[in-house]
Amino acid sequence: MLATTAAFPAIAETPADTFVIARNTADAITLDPAECFEFTGGRIVANLYERLFLFEPDNLTKLVGGIAESYEFSDDGKKITVKLRPGLTFHSGNPITAADVAYSLGRAVKLDKTPAFIIKQIGWTPENVDEAVVAVDDTTVEINILADMSPALVLNLLSAGVASIVDMKEVQKHEVDGDMGYAWLKDHSAGSGPYKLKTWKANEVVMLDAFDDYRQGKPAMNRVVIRHVAEPSAQRLLLEKGDVDAAMELTADQLKGLSGNSDVSAESYPKGYLMYLASNMDHPVLSKPEVREALKYMVDYDGMVGSFLDGQYKIHQNFWPSGMWAAATDTPYSHNMEKAKALIADAGLDADTKITIDTLNKSPFTEVAQSVQASLKELGIDSEIILSDGATLWPKYRARKHELIVARWGPDYSDPHSNADAFAHNPNNDFEAKLTGKLTWRNAWPADGLTELTDQAAAESDPEVREEIYAKLQKMVQEDSPFTIMFQAIGTFGQRANVEGFVNGVTSDQAYYKTVTK
């Protein structure tokens, strides 16, 4: 069957100036950058809108100006003065001005939808944001930092999708009952990105048309078409027939099956998602430092990556994903049952010790939990796996009702503070504090010393000093914490052999259509 598929002739071809993608788009619920926080929508929004600062496909670790031409920090680090690039326009033809920037950032804070927390960290509220972000003149924006936060961190926060700059005049034309264009912008666009929205039919198709006056020049692809194709097998068939140029959700086996077909290729890139073990520090056994260190040595990292995780995950043992600025990539732990057994012996556990392992009821989490269970058994510890869907598992985790859990985590924006805030920061470990967004709190770990260091990193203005602090934090969490960070996800997709320049990055919204050629 595989040989037959590999020999299947290309009987169709997409237009030379059109990039056609097969993808499951069922998660797309809005294209309003102030609200969008889903994978599919985030990728589309990133191509419809520009931000003050962003990451370009030629260097995904270096933050550069988008519509911002330059910026200057005040001496006290509490103000950023941004100069906009001159002569830029929105898709409507309206000029991009500082008033659009102030309106866009204020709109996101005032609407206060899910991703608003990213820029609200700057100390902005619906009540103060109009004074915090001020248009000095048409090309100058004054951004005031109202929290104890490094201006360098603020620049990274302003590269998030929620900080996209919308066309104020166009949005206000469609305002209804003071909603700031909220209803209209769900399925329309008002941006200045390389593409503009032509059509969106939910669970069917998204069509984007190239913007002739884009600041870097009109993209080579006049149109991008994203077809909703739910089943990976159907995506593969369309790809091999030539009906689509890229298939985004092929399984590892399907990607391997492309190897005999010279018309297609399997591509991969690092994703930001981490898979980790976490120990509830309220548990009498898992709170023992010897037990938590033993967990790091009992995990069969190579065995899992070499079998059911092949092509999906790679070994990664720090809280900030590789491929991003300030990521530590050392992997000091390996499968060493002799050392793990010695540590368990030092811990002096009762002979009848038994723990539970919570995880998601889907692959590959189930298989990882089973591997962990087998290793625990070899250490003389019985365990029970409890499988749940996310609607059940995450509330349980946030309520500290787990013992050992196999879970995942990904950054919300492109700054190490995003994950440091979760893995290394806990200002109040009391149960009543309910700091459920912090993995430290969920695992009842006070993170003494690390919390203060995380605050220091967030407030530090010097990028080199910040990087040094994050290196130290990653080492501290790696060596002594409730977390055994095991793997980082690998993004994979299939594409036609004639496609070049389709760059995908670590964060979910790093998908660049403007560089694609055929």
Side-chain angles (χ1 to χ4, degrees):
M1 178 64 183
L2 188 58
T4 302
T5 303
F8 201 104
I11 60 174
E13 190 175 87
T14 59
D17 65 350
T18 301
F19 185 45
V20 183
I21 303 167
R23 180 184 179 88
N24 187 335
T25 64
D27 67 321
I29 57 176
T30 179
L31 296 180
D32 185 338
E35 182 179 33
C36 182
F37 212 45
E38 295 75 38
F39 296 116
T40 300
R43 296 167 74 88
I44 296 169
V45 163
N47 286 278
L48 297 175
Y49 294 89
E50 291 271 82
R51 305 159 192 177
L52 284 172
F53 308 98
L54 43 73
F55 295 87
E56 291 286 12
D58 60 341
N59 187 345
L60 295 175
T61 65
K62 182 182 179 181
L63 189 71
V64 297
I67 67 167
E69 182 177 54
S70 63
Y71 63 89
E72 183 177 342
F73 297 151
S74 63
D75 291 341
D76 63 0
K78 289 297 184 182
K79 184 183 297 182
I80 308 172
T81 302
V82 180
K83 295 293 289 186
L84 305 185
R85 298 181 191 273
L88 299 184
T89 63
F90 289 105
H91 301 153
S92 66
N94 292 329
I96 299 176
T97 70
D100 294 293
V101 175
Y103 174 80
S104 300
L105 298 177
R107 177 179 181 273
V109 171
K110 292 170 187 175
L111 286 176
D112 201 15
K113 301 301 178 182
T114 302
F117 78 92
I118 294 173
I119 55 175
K120 287 172 67 179
Q121 294 180 90
I122 304 170
W124 298 344
T125 67
E127 293 75 29
N128 69 25
V129 70
D130 288 341
E131 289 72 43
V133 185
V134 179
V136 178
D137 56 40
D138 280 352
T139 60
T140 309
V141 185
E142 186 178 277
I143 295 172
N144 292 282
I145 304 169
L146 306 183
D148 189 14
M149 180 174 286
S150 158
L153 171 53
V154 173
L155 296 184
N156 280 331
L157 297 180
L158 293 175
S159 74
V162 69
S164 297
I165 307 307
V166 304
D167 183 340
M168 176 180 66
K169 292 179 180 177
E170 188 69 17
V171 171
Q172 287 180 335
K173 278 168 47 178
H174 300 279
E175 187 172 303
V176 177
D177 297 329
D179 73 343
M180 292 182 284
Y182 173 66
W184 179 77
L185 212 53
K186 277 180 174 289
D187 55 4
H188 293 80
S189 69
S192 61
Y195 288 90
K196 50 190 176 182
L197 183 65
K198 177 177 175 61
T199 304
W200 176 27
K201 297 180 181 178
N203 294 327
E204 187 176 335
V205 68
V206 180
M207 298 179 68
L208 313 177
D209 283 347
F211 178 34
D212 291 349
D213 296 323
Y214 180 56
R215 64 181 175 87
Q216 294 178 333
K218 183 181 178 180
M221 295 293 101
N222 280 326
R223 177 166 291 177
V224 175
V225 178
I226 305 167
R227 293 177 54 179
H228 173 63
V229 183
E231 292 299 324
S233 57
Q235 291 188 17
R236 176 183 176 181
L237 181 61
L238 290 169
L239 179 68
E240 293 200 297
K241 288 175 63 179
D243 289 335
V244 301
D245 297 304
M248 301 308 298
E249 285 135 345
L250 302 186
T251 66
D253 286 343
Q254 288 168 341
L255 285 163
K256 290 177 183 177
L258 300 180
S259 61
N261 187 342
S262 61
D263 292 330
V264 296
S265 63
E267 306 292 330
S268 65
Y269 60 96
K271 294 178 74 172
Y273 285 96
L274 306 175
M275 191 185 302
Y276 65 94
L277 279 175
S279 303
N280 191 329
M281 296 293 277
D282 281 339
H283 192 275
V285 172
L286 295 171
S287 60
K288 291 177 179 287
E290 300 89 349
V291 173
R292 287 183 283 110
E293 187 175 2
L295 293 179
K296 298 178 189 297
Y297 285 106
M298 73 160 204
V299 172
D300 189 4
Y301 302 97
D302 288 315
M304 286 189 268
V305 166
S307 56
F308 58 84
L309 292 181
D310 183 29
Q312 300 179 63
Y313 286 84
K314 66 176 183 176
I315 298 170
H316 185 77
Q317 296 177 349
N318 289 286
F319 69 67
W320 190 231
S322 65
M324 304 187 81
W325 174 76
T329 57
D330 59 313
T331 54
Y333 300 103
S334 58
H335 188 53
N336 187 335
M337 292 305 292
E338 183 177 344
K339 190 162 188 173
K341 287 177 181 178
L343 287 162
I344 291 298
D346 291 343
L349 304 186
D350 294 336
D352 60 349
T353 296
K354 184 176 181 179
I355 61 175
T356 59
I357 307 169
D358 277 286
T359 197
L360 290 167
N361 59 352
K362 65 178 184 179
S363 181
F365 300 95
T366 302
E367 292 87 345
V368 172
Q370 290 168 345
S371 177
V372 169
Q373 183 183 48
S375 294
L376 285 170
K377 183 70 173 177
E378 196 174 340
L379 293 178
I381 300 174
D382 288 331
S383 60
E384 175 191 359
I385 297 174
I386 302 173
L387 300 177
S388 310
D389 59 19
T392 302
L393 179 62
W394 304 134
K396 180 178 182 179
Y397 190 19
R398 295 181 185 119
R400 293 182 173 178
K401 293 182 178 179
H402 65 293
E403 294 183 356
L404 190 65
I405 187 171
V406 178
R408 63 183 176 188
W409 190 262
D412 292 313
Y413 48 89
S414 296
D415 189 281
H417 183 70
S418 179
N419 279 15
D421 193 49
F423 285 95
H425 191 263
N426 187 0
N428 188 345
N429 197 44
D430 293 344
F431 184 77
E432 293 75 21
K434 302 290 185 186
L435 302 180
T436 58
K438 297 180 182 290
L439 301 181
T440 49
W441 183 92
R442 293 188 199 179
N443 290 284
W445 184 48
D448 292 330
L450 287 87
T451 296
E452 294 76 12
L453 203 56
T454 300
D455 287 335
Q456 181 184 336
E460 176 58 55
S461 297
D462 188 324
E464 290 185 4
V465 176
R466 285 191 80 216
E467 189 169 10
E468 291 172 1
I469 298 173
Y470 286 120
K472 185 176 181 180
L473 279 169
Q474 287 172 88
K475 194 68 174 175
M476 293 170 74
V477 170
Q478 184 188 72
E479 292 181 345
D480 185 16
S481 74
F483 309 109
T484 299
I485 299 166
M486 303 179 290
F487 307 113
Q488 179 178 344
I490 298 172
T492 56
F493 63 97
Q495 70 178 24
R496 298 292 296 179
N498 66 328
V499 173
E500 295 182 0
F502 182 29
V503 178
N504 290 264
V506 177
T507 59
S508 60
D509 66 345
Q510 288 180 338
Y512 297 89
Y513 306 147
K514 66 183 181 181
T515 49
V516 173
T517 60
K518 292 200 292 185

